[in-house]
Amino acid sequence: MNLATEHPLRYALVNELHARPSPRIIAPATAVFVAFKEPRDAANRDRGHDLAHLGELVSRHGGPRPDPEDSHYQGQLGRHELKWESHTEFVTYMAMTPGLPIRPFDPSAAAIFPDAWQHAAPGKRVAAVMIQVDLLPDDPAEALARIDGWFARDSLAAIWVLDETAMVAGDFRIDADGWMRFAIFVRPGTSEGRVGRLVHRLVELETYRAMSMLGLGRARGLGNRLNELEPRLTAILESMTDDAQPAEQLLHDLLAVSTELEAQAVLHSFRFGATSAYEAIVHDRIAALRETRFLDRQMLTEFMRRRYQPAMRTAKSAERRLATMLERTARAAELLRTRVDVERSAQNQKIMHRMDRRADMQLRLQHTVEGLSVVAISYYAVGLLGYALAPLAGRAGLDKTLVVAVLTPLTVLGVWWAMRRVRAQFHDPGSDDL
């Protein structure tokens, strides 16, 4: 094979399909599962801390060291087979061991994950599941009699899965030791791969259910904040119909509300997006179980419809409410900007009208000044001409007063004509004299 012809990511992408194989479990067996998540900004956490925490557990049990470049690990730790996976926001550990504890769901079955080691985890425990896998009795009602003492009847879901290959039961409650319990009864002869996939789907179902419901707390907090902002926004919108309210002040108040809403959108967008993605995975895992009713007990879809879906609808409702308020503020801002523009246009028109009046007054004043200028210039011109022509008038025997009287109207007309020529040149756009 010529590697030069291969895309550099081809092998990496194919290997990703096989990076997280499902475990292989032979009944009876016990599986213990924990998931840890950083409380804040888990997607950008330092994954080196996760690997160090895994390495501490592996070293304690003398297992093979994990590859620091891998996002998954699978190895034998004494009697337990450990499976570790790193995800976008959390890491998971699942330990599987043959056989069942002496007492059902005995906490000692989780001894591979010591309390001190869990407390030292870089994140907080978001899921902890203990699963017992046993063989299905010949009479399925015997399994039902056994699980009645393990789970709370009011929330118990017991179902056939995978075409009645196995029965799964759980109440989605946390016991006194902090574990959520599931019981699986498989028919004799069920392959270990199928049992392993069933266990894997259950722990994924619980993990993604927990991760998706993180959005519920965010939704409630956001709802309280929106309850504070909505009256302010409503008051601003109502004030927009009052012409006495200054538009620029309303726009300033609206900007403050809009800024707060945008901040809330940035703060919650990732969590709400993750909630929707995790919810889709939960429904996918439920569909993959292909459940049918076991005797007269509650089905998993019925439990989720009554207990889980309301939480998801609450998160989606808060997200839609935030988006709606953002749209309202955007429309209100456009209306206010339009109102401000109209008011400014009216002000500009008034200014232009005043400027026109001032220009007209200046023109009238200019005409007045021009008339006075003609008189003043004519006065000095007649005086100069009188002095200049006085000697000539004396020789010709003419009276100087008569000469000045004749020159006065001619001089005034000449000055007036010259002033009009000058003014015409100033107002002629095609003139090159200026």
Side-chain angles (χ1 to χ4, degrees), residues 27 71 195 209 214 226 238 244-245 250 295 349 360 396 405:
S71 60
V195 176
R209 178 210 60 81
L214 292 177
L226 294 182
E238 291 177 351
Q245 293 287 339
L250 290 176
L295 300 180
Q349 289 179 356
D360 184 61

Side-chain angles (χ1 to χ4, degrees), residues 118-321:
Q118 293 191 54
H119 292 158
K124 299 299 182 181
R125 195 169 71 174
V126 71
V129 182
M130 187 177 295
I131 300 177
Q132 290 189 175
V133 184
D134 203 353
L135 294 174
L136 182 70
D138 294 336
D139 183 3
E142 294 181 15
L144 190 60
R146 292 165 62 181
I147 65 175
D148 278 342
W150 299 345
F151 304 105
R153 184 177 178 84
D154 62 331
S155 58
L156 172 63
I159 56 174
W160 286 114
V161 298
L162 305 178
D163 304 323
E164 299 190 2
T165 300
M167 188 271 281
V168 175
D171 59 1
F172 291 92
R173 293 181 180 271
I174 300 174
D175 65 17
D177 298 300
W179 299 94
M180 184 173 290
R181 303 175 175 183
F182 288 99
I184 300 177
F185 293 89
V186 299
R187 293 189 183 276
T190 304
S191 67
E192 57 188 38
R194 196 168 202 183
V195 176
R197 288 191 296 273
L198 177 57
V199 170
H200 200 209
R201 286 170 185 167
L202 279 180
V203 297
E204 285 185 330
L205 171 62
E206 166 55 18
T207 303
Y208 289 113
R209 178 210 60 81
M211 292 297 299
S212 63
M213 292 188 71
L214 292 177
L216 178 61
R218 290 287 192 92
R220 288 171 175 169
L222 176 61
N224 293 333
R225 186 61 184 138
L226 294 182
N227 290 339
E228 299 174 1
L229 293 174
E230 192 163 22
R232 292 172 55 187
L233 178 58
T234 301
I236 293 172
L237 295 176
E238 291 177 351
S239 299
M240 290 173 58
T241 59
D242 185 2
D243 294 336
Q245 293 287 339
E248 293 188 357
Q249 180 60 41
L250 290 176
L251 189 60
H252 177 75
D253 296 340
L254 183 62
L255 180 61
V257 175
S258 178
T259 301
E260 177 63 23
L261 289 173
E262 288 291 351
Q264 293 296 322
V266 172
L267 184 62
H268 295 92
S269 61
F270 177 84
R271 177 50 49 203
F272 286 148
T275 294
S276 298
Y278 293 142
E279 180 192 6
I281 296 176
V282 169
H283 290 304
D284 177 75
R285 297 301 182 267
I286 293 175
L289 293 175
R290 303 200 300 277
E291 64 170 338
T292 54
R293 190 175 299 279
F294 179 79
L295 300 180
D296 62 342
R297 294 307 173 99
Q298 178 180 224
M299 296 180 67
L300 184 58
T301 51
E302 294 172 342
F303 176 88
M304 289 294 180
R305 189 181 304 116
R306 294 177 54 245
R307 310 291 182 92
Y308 173 70
Q309 284 305 119
M312 295 298 98
R313 285 194 289 268
T314 299
K316 292 177 180 177
S317 175
E319 185 179 13
R320 287 194 299 269
R321 185 183 177 191

